[in-house]
Amino acid sequence: MTQTLRLGIAGLGTVGASVLGMVARRAEALTAATGRTITVTAVSARDRSRDRGVDLSGLHWFDDPVELARWGEIDVFVELVGGSEGAAKAAVEAALGAGKHVVTANKALLAHHGAALARLAEERGVALAYEASVAGGIPVIKAIREGLTGNTISRVYGILNGTCNYILSRMEAEGLTFEACLKDAQALGYAEADPTFDVEGFDTAHKLAILTSLAFGVEIDAEGVSVEGISAIQPLDLTMADELGYRIKLLGVAQATAEGIEQRVHPTMVPKASAIAQVMGVTNAVTVDADAVGELTLIGPGAGGAATASAVVADITDVALGLVRPTFGQPMANLASPRRVEMQRHEGGYYIRLTVHDRTGVAAGVATRMAEANISIESIVQRRSAKAASSDPQGLSGQPVPLVLITYAATEGNVRKALAAIDRDGLLAEAPQLIRIERE
Ligand SMILES: NC(=O)c1ccc[n+]([C@@H]2O[C@H](COP(=O)([O-])OP(=O)(O)OC[C@H]3O[C@@H](n4cnc5c(N)ncnc54)[C@H](OP(=O)(O)O)[C@@H]3O)[C@@H](O)[C@H]2O)c1
């Protein structure tokens, strides 16, 4: 092992520039920890003239990250460009192909090409490290892969997207709409100009797919994640959740069942007293249910230059120490093929908000359809405005009013069947809102 570990960093944006600064600032401590000098020798980005607030003098510049990846004067290729295809993928493949270790923060790349890249890393005997790709500064990859090997994990779930948690926290605290909170999130730099990837749950799905592979020893299966975002959540849902003892969070959940592994991303009602319910704003959290440790929750910053660089530098430190671990916790040949479980088979409690015509007998009609589909109702709340109650005490007007049901454990298939029957009965004034409940 040479004394010096030479890094080539591709991508000098929020994370890349922070990594450069951190490696320089922590040089002495990193040498003390690893016995090696860790130094950046080359960088790559698109715009050479941009001031990035870090000193690039003396570093080789590459316009093309693929050329940097193949350059003979680096030992580790640090990929901080982003995106599942294009330059990031080509450069990581080139680096691994050239026998160089790779450290990346790129969840999209891992989610879509993780298995193929891990095989390549394994063939070449090099590390493919990605701590920063899930929950930014929270060392959750290490916790699951290295810290819990004595456990059988039954479920892993988390708040993995700060943008969504910020929006839901503000909607709850201030009674604002999704649209108003999204606008604020964009103004504050928490959400992209095109927020689809975050608010529709795809970013969470990528991160969840990575956690699933590690937690359950299966090959990564991003296409197997059922995904639903937060854009349809209304202030009334947050008010009702509060009254019923819940908060709404966008969760990524991976759960072992008799049929296989459920992977799902959706707005979720969590009990107000649970650890995950306390996580507000842009903060991330991951909870692991495991047989020996019980419930373990890690909470911390899921994004931001410094926090994400912290995870990248931890991976670089491992490489400097010569630690080359199997990418997903075990040799690729040992990973099982994932057995997908269709969302229809999911079993759990449901919050169902119906908008019904305010007529006598509607609640009874809904209850009948639920019973026919084998769904037991834990509570039912019917809301009529004070005005409607006084002007139309017998409910003859048929005005649309909310009717909220909380169910005991039911299958998604049965819930959908009951809702279709209620719709056929002509009881609904609007499409129903359905939010799954995740209990501890
Ligand atoms: N930001 C976070 O908080 C965070 C947290 C966790 C994980 N991550 C992940 O970290 C990675 C980087 O994110 P970021 O926020 O730092 O992104 P960013 O600020 O947009 O920076 C991307 C960098 O890549 C460079 N780049 C883009 N296309 C390139 C190409 N074809 N060739 C060479 N360079 C290219 C850009 O160059 P120019 O500067 O010249 O345009 C820029 O420096 C992503 O995978 C992201 O998902 C980010």
Side-chain angles (χ1 to χ4, degrees), residues 10-16 44-48 50 52 61 63-65 79-83 87 104-107 132-133 136 302-305 308:
L12 296 173
T14 308
V15 183
S44 173
R46 283 177 301 208
D47 182 355
R48 194 166 186 169
R50 182 177 295 173
R52 300 164 191 279
W61 177 277
D63 287 323
D64 182 359
E79 187 277 302
L80 301 168
V81 171
T104 178
N106 191 338
K107 55 254 174 184
S133 67
T308 310

PDB file of all heavy atoms in Angstrom, residues 10-16 44-48 50 52 61 63-65 79-83 87 104-107 132-133 136 302-305 308, ligand 1:
ATOM      1  N   ALA A  10     -14.898  13.976  -9.399  1.00  0.00           N
ATOM      2  CA  ALA A  10     -15.723  14.444 -10.514  1.00  0.00           C
ATOM      3  C   ALA A  10     -16.996  15.029  -9.944  1.00  0.00           C
ATOM      4  O   ALA A  10     -17.716  14.359  -9.200  1.00  0.00           O
ATOM      5  CB  ALA A  10     -16.039  13.284 -11.447  1.00  0.00           C
ATOM      6  N   GLY A  11     -17.271  16.289 -10.317  1.00  0.00           N
ATOM      7  CA  GLY A  11     -18.418  17.001  -9.760  1.00  0.00           C
ATOM      8  C   GLY A  11     -17.954  17.905  -8.643  1.00  0.00           C
ATOM      9  O   GLY A  11     -17.456  17.433  -7.612  1.00  0.00           O
ATOM     10  N   LEU A  12     -18.072  19.214  -8.877  1.00  0.00           N
ATOM     11  CA  LEU A  12     -17.618  20.192  -7.873  1.00  0.00           C
ATOM     12  C   LEU A  12     -18.780  21.096  -7.473  1.00  0.00           C
ATOM     13  O   LEU A  12     -18.621  22.302  -7.321  1.00  0.00           O
ATOM     14  CB  LEU A  12     -16.458  21.025  -8.441  1.00  0.00           C
ATOM     15  CG  LEU A  12     -15.184  20.231  -8.757  1.00  0.00           C
ATOM     16  CD1 LEU A  12     -14.170  21.130  -9.465  1.00  0.00           C
ATOM     17  CD2 LEU A  12     -14.565  19.655  -7.479  1.00  0.00           C
ATOM     18  N   GLY A  13     -19.947  20.499  -7.334  1.00  0.00           N
ATOM     19  CA  GLY A  13     -21.119  21.263  -6.917  1.00  0.00           C
ATOM     20  C   GLY A  13     -21.232  21.277  -5.400  1.00  0.00           C
ATOM     21  O   GLY A  13     -20.224  21.298  -4.683  1.00  0.00           O
ATOM     22  N   THR A  14     -22.462  21.218  -4.900  1.00  0.00           N
ATOM     23  CA  THR A  14     -22.708  21.295  -3.456  1.00  0.00           C
ATOM     24  C   THR A  14     -21.855  20.290  -2.687  1.00  0.00           C
ATOM     25  O   THR A  14     -21.182  20.632  -1.711  1.00  0.00           O
ATOM     26  CB  THR A  14     -24.202  20.996  -3.179  1.00  0.00           C
ATOM     27  OG1 THR A  14     -24.982  21.843  -4.008  1.00  0.00           O
ATOM     28  CG2 THR A  14     -24.565  21.228  -1.731  1.00  0.00           C
ATOM     29  N   VAL A  15     -21.864  19.039  -3.134  1.00  0.00           N
ATOM     30  CA  VAL A  15     -21.159  17.993  -2.381  1.00  0.00           C
ATOM     31  C   VAL A  15     -19.664  17.977  -2.733  1.00  0.00           C
ATOM     32  O   VAL A  15     -18.804  17.950  -1.845  1.00  0.00           O
ATOM     33  CB  VAL A  15     -21.791  16.604  -2.643  1.00  0.00           C
ATOM     34  CG1 VAL A  15     -21.096  15.545  -1.806  1.00  0.00           C
ATOM     35  CG2 VAL A  15     -23.284  16.624  -2.324  1.00  0.00           C
ATOM     36  N   GLY A  16     -19.359  18.018  -4.041  1.00  0.00           N
ATOM     37  CA  GLY A  16     -17.952  17.915  -4.466  1.00  0.00           C
ATOM     38  C   GLY A  16     -17.081  18.990  -3.844  1.00  0.00           C
ATOM     39  O   GLY A  16     -15.989  18.700  -3.324  1.00  0.00           O
ATOM     40  N   SER A  44     -12.901  17.211 -11.967  1.00  0.00           N
ATOM     41  CA  SER A  44     -13.626  17.395 -13.224  1.00  0.00           C
ATOM     42  C   SER A  44     -14.967  18.049 -12.940  1.00  0.00           C
ATOM     43  O   SER A  44     -15.622  17.732 -11.944  1.00  0.00           O
ATOM     44  CB  SER A  44     -13.857  16.031 -13.897  1.00  0.00           C
ATOM     45  OG  SER A  44     -14.686  16.193 -15.033  1.00  0.00           O
ATOM     46  N   ALA A  45     -15.339  18.994 -13.786  1.00  0.00           N
ATOM     47  CA  ALA A  45     -16.683  19.584 -13.757  1.00  0.00           C
ATOM     48  C   ALA A  45     -16.913  20.153 -15.153  1.00  0.00           C
ATOM     49  O   ALA A  45     -16.072  19.985 -16.033  1.00  0.00           O
ATOM     50  CB  ALA A  45     -16.807  20.647 -12.683  1.00  0.00           C
ATOM     51  N   ARG A  46     -18.051  20.819 -15.343  1.00  0.00           N
ATOM     52  CA  ARG A  46     -18.325  21.321 -16.691  1.00  0.00           C
ATOM     53  C   ARG A  46     -17.681  22.675 -16.934  1.00  0.00           C
ATOM     54  O   ARG A  46     -17.086  22.927 -17.970  1.00  0.00           O
ATOM     55  CB  ARG A  46     -19.838  21.435 -16.902  1.00  0.00           C
ATOM     56  CG  ARG A  46     -20.514  20.119 -17.166  1.00  0.00           C
ATOM     57  CD  ARG A  46     -21.979  20.287 -17.297  1.00  0.00           C
ATOM     58  NE  ARG A  46     -22.568  20.857 -16.090  1.00  0.00           N
ATOM     59  CZ  ARG A  46     -23.809  20.658 -15.686  1.00  0.00           C
ATOM     60  NH1 ARG A  46     -24.621  19.941 -16.419  1.00  0.00           N
ATOM     61  NH2 ARG A  46     -24.259  21.197 -14.580  1.00  0.00           N
ATOM     62  N   ASP A  47     -17.794  23.566 -15.952  1.00  0.00           N
ATOM     63  CA  ASP A  47     -17.402  24.958 -16.160  1.00  0.00           C
ATOM     64  C   ASP A  47     -16.116  25.275 -15.390  1.00  0.00           C
ATOM     65  O   ASP A  47     -16.129  25.440 -14.168  1.00  0.00           O
ATOM     66  CB  ASP A  47     -18.564  25.859 -15.685  1.00  0.00           C
ATOM     67  CG  ASP A  47     -18.270  27.321 -15.899  1.00  0.00           C
ATOM     68  OD1 ASP A  47     -17.141  27.655 -16.320  1.00  0.00           O
ATOM     69  OD2 ASP A  47     -19.163  28.142 -15.623  1.00  0.00           O
ATOM     70  N   ARG A  48     -15.045  25.380 -16.133  1.00  0.00           N
ATOM     71  CA  ARG A  48     -13.742  25.570 -15.496  1.00  0.00           C
ATOM     72  C   ARG A  48     -13.624  26.938 -14.835  1.00  0.00           C
ATOM     73  O   ARG A  48     -12.839  27.125 -13.898  1.00  0.00           O
ATOM     74  CB  ARG A  48     -12.654  25.396 -16.562  1.00  0.00           C
ATOM     75  CG  ARG A  48     -11.295  25.230 -15.980  1.00  0.00           C
ATOM     76  CD  ARG A  48     -10.303  24.735 -17.006  1.00  0.00           C
ATOM     77  NE  ARG A  48      -9.044  24.472 -16.328  1.00  0.00           N
ATOM     78  CZ  ARG A  48      -8.034  23.846 -16.866  1.00  0.00           C
ATOM     79  NH1 ARG A  48      -8.126  23.393 -18.088  1.00  0.00           N
ATOM     80  NH2 ARG A  48      -6.933  23.662 -16.188  1.00  0.00           N
ATOM     81  N   ARG A  50     -15.862  28.717 -13.216  1.00  0.00           N
ATOM     82  CA  ARG A  50     -16.736  29.006 -12.059  1.00  0.00           C
ATOM     83  C   ARG A  50     -15.960  29.021 -10.734  1.00  0.00           C
ATOM     84  O   ARG A  50     -15.122  28.158 -10.495  1.00  0.00           O
ATOM     85  CB  ARG A  50     -17.845  27.958 -11.984  1.00  0.00           C
ATOM     86  CG  ARG A  50     -18.825  28.205 -10.852  1.00  0.00           C
ATOM     87  CD  ARG A  50     -19.935  27.202 -10.859  1.00  0.00           C
ATOM     88  NE  ARG A  50     -20.761  27.312 -12.054  1.00  0.00           N
ATOM     89  CZ  ARG A  50     -21.726  26.459 -12.376  1.00  0.00           C
ATOM     90  NH1 ARG A  50     -21.965  25.424 -11.598  1.00  0.00           N
ATOM     91  NH2 ARG A  50     -22.432  26.648 -13.457  1.00  0.00           N
ATOM     92  N   ARG A  52     -15.755  28.224  -7.077  1.00  0.00           N
ATOM     93  CA  ARG A  52     -16.443  27.242  -6.239  1.00  0.00           C
ATOM     94  C   ARG A  52     -16.104  27.394  -4.769  1.00  0.00           C
ATOM     95  O   ARG A  52     -16.427  26.532  -3.943  1.00  0.00           O
ATOM     96  CB  ARG A  52     -16.104  25.837  -6.726  1.00  0.00           C
ATOM     97  CG  ARG A  52     -16.527  25.634  -8.175  1.00  0.00           C
ATOM     98  CD  ARG A  52     -15.900  24.432  -8.839  1.00  0.00           C
ATOM     99  NE  ARG A  52     -16.140  24.462 -10.290  1.00  0.00           N
ATOM    100  CZ  ARG A  52     -17.266  24.067 -10.868  1.00  0.00           C
ATOM    101  NH1 ARG A  52     -18.246  23.633 -10.142  1.00  0.00           N
ATOM    102  NH2 ARG A  52     -17.397  24.141 -12.186  1.00  0.00           N
ATOM    103  N   TRP A  61      -7.096  19.372 -14.218  1.00  0.00           N
ATOM    104  CA  TRP A  61      -8.506  19.564 -14.570  1.00  0.00           C
ATOM    105  C   TRP A  61      -8.870  18.676 -15.754  1.00  0.00           C
ATOM    106  O   TRP A  61      -8.129  18.609 -16.736  1.00  0.00           O
ATOM    107  CB  TRP A  61      -8.774  21.027 -14.942  1.00  0.00           C
ATOM    108  CG  TRP A  61     -10.196  21.254 -15.382  1.00  0.00           C
ATOM    109  CD1 TRP A  61     -10.700  21.039 -16.630  1.00  0.00           C
ATOM    110  CD2 TRP A  61     -11.277  21.687 -14.572  1.00  0.00           C
ATOM    111  NE1 TRP A  61     -12.040  21.321 -16.650  1.00  0.00           N
ATOM    112  CE2 TRP A  61     -12.434  21.727 -15.396  1.00  0.00           C
ATOM    113  CE3 TRP A  61     -11.404  22.062 -13.232  1.00  0.00           C
ATOM    114  CZ2 TRP A  61     -13.676  22.117 -14.921  1.00  0.00           C
ATOM    115  CZ3 TRP A  61     -12.640  22.459 -12.769  1.00  0.00           C
ATOM    116  CH2 TRP A  61     -13.762  22.484 -13.615  1.00  0.00           C
ATOM    117  N   ASP A  63     -12.087  18.013 -18.402  1.00  0.00           N
ATOM    118  CA  ASP A  63     -13.445  18.361 -18.846  1.00  0.00           C
ATOM    119  C   ASP A  63     -14.325  17.124 -18.840  1.00  0.00           C
ATOM    120  O   ASP A  63     -15.527  17.209 -18.639  1.00  0.00           O
ATOM    121  CB  ASP A  63     -13.417  18.956 -20.261  1.00  0.00           C
ATOM    122  CG  ASP A  63     -12.856  20.372 -20.264  1.00  0.00           C
ATOM    123  OD1 ASP A  63     -13.135  21.115 -19.303  1.00  0.00           O
ATOM    124  OD2 ASP A  63     -12.128  20.709 -21.219  1.00  0.00           O
ATOM    125  N   ASP A  64     -13.703  15.971 -19.092  1.00  0.00           N
ATOM    126  CA  ASP A  64     -14.449  14.723 -19.226  1.00  0.00           C
ATOM    127  C   ASP A  64     -14.177  13.820 -18.010  1.00  0.00           C
ATOM    128  O   ASP A  64     -13.056  13.352 -17.815  1.00  0.00           O
ATOM    129  CB  ASP A  64     -14.001  14.026 -20.522  1.00  0.00           C
ATOM    130  CG  ASP A  64     -14.754  12.732 -20.765  1.00  0.00           C
ATOM    131  OD1 ASP A  64     -15.603  12.359 -19.918  1.00  0.00           O
ATOM    132  OD2 ASP A  64     -14.481  12.091 -21.796  1.00  0.00           O
ATOM    133  N   PRO A  65     -15.218  13.558 -17.200  1.00  0.00           N
ATOM    134  CA  PRO A  65     -14.991  12.718 -16.014  1.00  0.00           C
ATOM    135  C   PRO A  65     -14.539  11.299 -16.347  1.00  0.00           C
ATOM    136  O   PRO A  65     -13.889  10.646 -15.530  1.00  0.00           O
ATOM    137  CB  PRO A  65     -16.349  12.706 -15.310  1.00  0.00           C
ATOM    138  CG  PRO A  65     -17.333  13.309 -16.235  1.00  0.00           C
ATOM    139  CD  PRO A  65     -16.595  14.079 -17.275  1.00  0.00           C
ATOM    140  N   GLU A  79     -17.194  10.040  -7.358  1.00  0.00           N
ATOM    141  CA  GLU A  79     -18.222  10.489  -8.324  1.00  0.00           C
ATOM    142  C   GLU A  79     -19.292  11.309  -7.624  1.00  0.00           C
ATOM    143  O   GLU A  79     -20.084  10.777  -6.856  1.00  0.00           O
ATOM    144  CB  GLU A  79     -18.836   9.251  -9.007  1.00  0.00           C
ATOM    145  CG  GLU A  79     -19.793   9.590 -10.139  1.00  0.00           C
ATOM    146  CD  GLU A  79     -21.203   9.906  -9.654  1.00  0.00           C
ATOM    147  OE1 GLU A  79     -21.826   9.054  -8.986  1.00  0.00           O
ATOM    148  OE2 GLU A  79     -21.680  11.034  -9.923  1.00  0.00           O
ATOM    149  N   LEU A  80     -19.306  12.619  -7.915  1.00  0.00           N
ATOM    150  CA  LEU A  80     -20.289  13.515  -7.300  1.00  0.00           C
ATOM    151  C   LEU A  80     -20.950  14.378  -8.370  1.00  0.00           C
ATOM    152  O   LEU A  80     -21.208  15.570  -8.181  1.00  0.00           O
ATOM    153  CB  LEU A  80     -19.601  14.374  -6.229  1.00  0.00           C
ATOM    154  CG  LEU A  80     -18.944  13.517  -5.123  1.00  0.00           C
ATOM    155  CD1 LEU A  80     -18.030  14.348  -4.253  1.00  0.00           C
ATOM    156  CD2 LEU A  80     -19.993  12.800  -4.283  1.00  0.00           C
ATOM    157  N   VAL A  81     -21.198  13.733  -9.522  1.00  0.00           N
ATOM    158  CA  VAL A  81     -21.850  14.391 -10.660  1.00  0.00           C
ATOM    159  C   VAL A  81     -23.363  14.224 -10.548  1.00  0.00           C
ATOM    160  O   VAL A  81     -24.138  15.169 -10.672  1.00  0.00           O
ATOM    161  CB  VAL A  81     -21.318  13.790 -11.988  1.00  0.00           C
ATOM    162  CG1 VAL A  81     -22.133  14.287 -13.178  1.00  0.00           C
ATOM    163  CG2 VAL A  81     -19.841  14.137 -12.163  1.00  0.00           C
ATOM    164  N   GLY A  82     -23.802  12.983 -10.311  1.00  0.00           N
ATOM    165  CA  GLY A  82     -25.237  12.692 -10.165  1.00  0.00           C
ATOM    166  C   GLY A  82     -25.871  12.192 -11.448  1.00  0.00           C
ATOM    167  O   GLY A  82     -25.303  12.329 -12.543  1.00  0.00           O
ATOM    168  N   GLY A  83     -27.046  11.557 -11.314  1.00  0.00           N
ATOM    169  CA  GLY A  83     -27.784  11.030 -12.465  1.00  0.00           C
ATOM    170  C   GLY A  83     -27.502   9.551 -12.666  1.00  0.00           C
ATOM    171  O   GLY A  83     -26.388   9.091 -12.430  1.00  0.00           O
ATOM    172  N   ALA A  87     -22.769  10.841 -17.945  1.00  0.00           N
ATOM    173  CA  ALA A  87     -21.375  10.972 -17.525  1.00  0.00           C
ATOM    174  C   ALA A  87     -21.082  10.185 -16.245  1.00  0.00           C
ATOM    175  O   ALA A  87     -20.036   9.531 -16.137  1.00  0.00           O
ATOM    176  CB  ALA A  87     -21.059  12.452 -17.315  1.00  0.00           C
ATOM    177  N   THR A 104     -19.107   7.146  -4.157  1.00  0.00           N
ATOM    178  CA  THR A 104     -20.152   7.933  -4.816  1.00  0.00           C
ATOM    179  C   THR A 104     -21.268   8.293  -3.843  1.00  0.00           C
ATOM    180  O   THR A 104     -21.456   7.608  -2.832  1.00  0.00           O
ATOM    181  CB  THR A 104     -20.730   7.165  -6.033  1.00  0.00           C
ATOM    182  OG1 THR A 104     -21.772   7.933  -6.639  1.00  0.00           O
ATOM    183  CG2 THR A 104     -21.312   5.811  -5.652  1.00  0.00           C
ATOM    184  N   ALA A 105     -22.005   9.365  -4.182  1.00  0.00           N
ATOM    185  CA  ALA A 105     -23.180   9.759  -3.387  1.00  0.00           C
ATOM    186  C   ALA A 105     -24.448   9.555  -4.207  1.00  0.00           C
ATOM    187  O   ALA A 105     -25.510  10.039  -3.842  1.00  0.00           O
ATOM    188  CB  ALA A 105     -23.048  11.232  -2.991  1.00  0.00           C
ATOM    189  N   ASN A 106     -24.326   8.826  -5.316  1.00  0.00           N
ATOM    190  CA  ASN A 106     -25.339   8.817  -6.367  1.00  0.00           C
ATOM    191  C   ASN A 106     -26.361   7.680  -6.210  1.00  0.00           C
ATOM    192  O   ASN A 106     -26.162   6.569  -6.696  1.00  0.00           O
ATOM    193  CB  ASN A 106     -24.601   8.703  -7.709  1.00  0.00           C
ATOM    194  CG  ASN A 106     -25.477   8.947  -8.889  1.00  0.00           C
ATOM    195  OD1 ASN A 106     -26.696   8.815  -8.817  1.00  0.00           O
ATOM    196  ND2 ASN A 106     -24.856   9.286 -10.008  1.00  0.00           N
ATOM    197  N   LYS A 107     -27.495   7.995  -5.532  1.00  0.00           N
ATOM    198  CA  LYS A 107     -28.502   6.937  -5.286  1.00  0.00           C
ATOM    199  C   LYS A 107     -29.177   6.478  -6.565  1.00  0.00           C
ATOM    200  O   LYS A 107     -29.521   5.294  -6.706  1.00  0.00           O
ATOM    201  CB  LYS A 107     -29.577   7.412  -4.303  1.00  0.00           C
ATOM    202  CG  LYS A 107     -30.266   8.703  -4.704  1.00  0.00           C
ATOM    203  CD  LYS A 107     -29.796   9.839  -3.851  1.00  0.00           C
ATOM    204  CE  LYS A 107     -30.310  11.173  -4.277  1.00  0.00           C
ATOM    205  NZ  LYS A 107     -29.759  12.255  -3.475  1.00  0.00           N
ATOM    206  N   ALA A 132     -22.966   8.060   1.297  1.00  0.00           N
ATOM    207  CA  ALA A 132     -23.686   9.338   1.162  1.00  0.00           C
ATOM    208  C   ALA A 132     -24.958   9.222   0.325  1.00  0.00           C
ATOM    209  O   ALA A 132     -25.747  10.165   0.269  1.00  0.00           O
ATOM    210  CB  ALA A 132     -22.759  10.380   0.530  1.00  0.00           C
ATOM    211  N   SER A 133     -25.168   8.074  -0.295  1.00  0.00           N
ATOM    212  CA  SER A 133     -26.302   7.987  -1.224  1.00  0.00           C
ATOM    213  C   SER A 133     -27.650   7.873  -0.516  1.00  0.00           C
ATOM    214  O   SER A 133     -28.681   8.171  -1.101  1.00  0.00           O
ATOM    215  CB  SER A 133     -26.116   6.806  -2.177  1.00  0.00           C
ATOM    216  OG  SER A 133     -26.198   5.592  -1.462  1.00  0.00           O
ATOM    217  N   GLY A 136     -27.965  11.139   3.405  1.00  0.00           N
ATOM    218  CA  GLY A 136     -26.859  12.101   3.518  1.00  0.00           C
ATOM    219  C   GLY A 136     -25.865  11.822   4.624  1.00  0.00           C
ATOM    220  O   GLY A 136     -25.073  10.894   4.533  1.00  0.00           O
ATOM    221  N   GLY A 302     -30.137  14.819   6.164  1.00  0.00           N
ATOM    222  CA  GLY A 302     -30.167  13.952   4.989  1.00  0.00           C
ATOM    223  C   GLY A 302     -29.581  14.592   3.755  1.00  0.00           C
ATOM    224  O   GLY A 302     -29.498  13.959   2.703  1.00  0.00           O
ATOM    225  N   ALA A 303     -29.183  15.838   3.849  1.00  0.00           N
ATOM    226  CA  ALA A 303     -28.644  16.530   2.670  1.00  0.00           C
ATOM    227  C   ALA A 303     -27.789  17.705   3.137  1.00  0.00           C
ATOM    228  O   ALA A 303     -27.617  17.934   4.327  1.00  0.00           O
ATOM    229  CB  ALA A 303     -29.788  17.012   1.784  1.00  0.00           C
ATOM    230  N   GLY A 304     -27.269  18.440   2.138  1.00  0.00           N
ATOM    231  CA  GLY A 304     -26.415  19.587   2.442  1.00  0.00           C
ATOM    232  C   GLY A 304     -24.973  19.215   2.186  1.00  0.00           C
ATOM    233  O   GLY A 304     -24.577  18.060   2.360  1.00  0.00           O
ATOM    234  N   GLY A 305     -24.188  20.202   1.745  1.00  0.00           N
ATOM    235  CA  GLY A 305     -22.805  19.941   1.355  1.00  0.00           C
ATOM    236  C   GLY A 305     -21.992  19.289   2.458  1.00  0.00           C
ATOM    237  O   GLY A 305     -21.410  18.211   2.274  1.00  0.00           O
ATOM    238  N   THR A 308     -23.252  15.717   3.712  1.00  0.00           N
ATOM    239  CA  THR A 308     -23.061  14.673   2.708  1.00  0.00           C
ATOM    240  C   THR A 308     -21.566  14.382   2.524  1.00  0.00           C
ATOM    241  O   THR A 308     -21.158  13.222   2.395  1.00  0.00           O
ATOM    242  CB  THR A 308     -23.726  15.085   1.378  1.00  0.00           C
ATOM    243  OG1 THR A 308     -25.067  15.500   1.671  1.00  0.00           O
ATOM    244  CG2 THR A 308     -23.779  13.945   0.394  1.00  0.00           C
TER     245      THR A 308
HETATM  246  N1  LIG B   1     -26.784  17.993  -2.452  1.00  0.00           N
HETATM  247  C1  LIG B   1     -27.019  17.139  -1.481  1.00  0.00           C
HETATM  248  O1  LIG B   1     -27.378  17.530  -0.366  1.00  0.00           O
HETATM  249  C2  LIG B   1     -26.849  15.655  -1.702  1.00  0.00           C
HETATM  250  C3  LIG B   1     -27.104  14.765  -0.647  1.00  0.00           C
HETATM  251  C4  LIG B   1     -26.906  13.392  -0.842  1.00  0.00           C
HETATM  252  C5  LIG B   1     -26.480  12.937  -2.071  1.00  0.00           C
HETATM  253  N2  LIG B   1     -26.272  13.828  -3.083  1.00  0.00           N
HETATM  254  C6  LIG B   1     -25.814  13.308  -4.375  1.00  0.00           C
HETATM  255  O2  LIG B   1     -24.521  13.828  -4.647  1.00  0.00           O
HETATM  256  C7  LIG B   1     -24.338  13.977  -6.048  1.00  0.00           C
HETATM  257  C8  LIG B   1     -23.938  15.437  -6.352  1.00  0.00           C
HETATM  258  O3  LIG B   1     -24.968  16.286  -5.900  1.00  0.00           O
HETATM  259  P1  LIG B   1     -24.778  17.881  -5.813  1.00  0.00           P
HETATM  260  O4  LIG B   1     -25.927  18.385  -5.035  1.00  0.00           O
HETATM  261  O5  LIG B   1     -23.394  18.218  -5.370  1.00  0.00           O
HETATM  262  O6  LIG B   1     -24.974  18.288  -7.350  1.00  0.00           O
HETATM  263  P2  LIG B   1     -24.632  19.684  -8.047  1.00  0.00           P
HETATM  264  O7  LIG B   1     -24.463  20.755  -7.036  1.00  0.00           O
HETATM  265  O8  LIG B   1     -25.599  19.856  -9.144  1.00  0.00           O
HETATM  266  O9  LIG B   1     -23.176  19.398  -8.685  1.00  0.00           O
HETATM  267  C9  LIG B   1     -22.989  18.556  -9.775  1.00  0.00           C
HETATM  268  C10 LIG B   1     -21.581  18.745 -10.290  1.00  0.00           C
HETATM  269  O10 LIG B   1     -21.366  17.850 -11.378  1.00  0.00           O
HETATM  270  C11 LIG B   1     -20.778  18.558 -12.451  1.00  0.00           C
HETATM  271  N3  LIG B   1     -21.188  17.922 -13.710  1.00  0.00           N
HETATM  272  C12 LIG B   1     -22.460  17.741 -14.168  1.00  0.00           C
HETATM  273  N4  LIG B   1     -22.427  17.121 -15.368  1.00  0.00           N
HETATM  274  C13 LIG B   1     -21.132  16.935 -15.662  1.00  0.00           C
HETATM  275  C14 LIG B   1     -20.435  16.367 -16.763  1.00  0.00           C
HETATM  276  N5  LIG B   1     -21.099  15.868 -17.810  1.00  0.00           N
HETATM  277  N6  LIG B   1     -19.095  16.352 -16.726  1.00  0.00           N
HETATM  278  C15 LIG B   1     -18.425  16.865 -15.683  1.00  0.00           C
HETATM  279  N7  LIG B   1     -19.005  17.406 -14.600  1.00  0.00           N
HETATM  280  C16 LIG B   1     -20.347  17.444 -14.599  1.00  0.00           C
HETATM  281  C17 LIG B   1     -21.279  19.980 -12.343  1.00  0.00           C
HETATM  282  O11 LIG B   1     -20.356  20.839 -13.004  1.00  0.00           O
HETATM  283  P3  LIG B   1     -20.524  22.458 -13.034  1.00  0.00           P
HETATM  284  O12 LIG B   1     -20.414  22.881 -11.581  1.00  0.00           O
HETATM  285  O13 LIG B   1     -19.390  22.947 -13.848  1.00  0.00           O
HETATM  286  O14 LIG B   1     -21.880  22.712 -13.604  1.00  0.00           O
HETATM  287  C18 LIG B   1     -21.291  20.162 -10.827  1.00  0.00           C
HETATM  288  O15 LIG B   1     -20.042  20.591 -10.357  1.00  0.00           O
HETATM  289  C19 LIG B   1     -25.666  13.545  -6.686  1.00  0.00           C
HETATM  290  O16 LIG B   1     -25.600  12.179  -7.036  1.00  0.00           O
HETATM  291  C20 LIG B   1     -26.671  13.712  -5.556  1.00  0.00           C
HETATM  292  O17 LIG B   1     -27.793  12.872  -5.690  1.00  0.00           O
HETATM  293  C21 LIG B   1     -26.440  15.162  -2.925  1.00  0.00           C
END
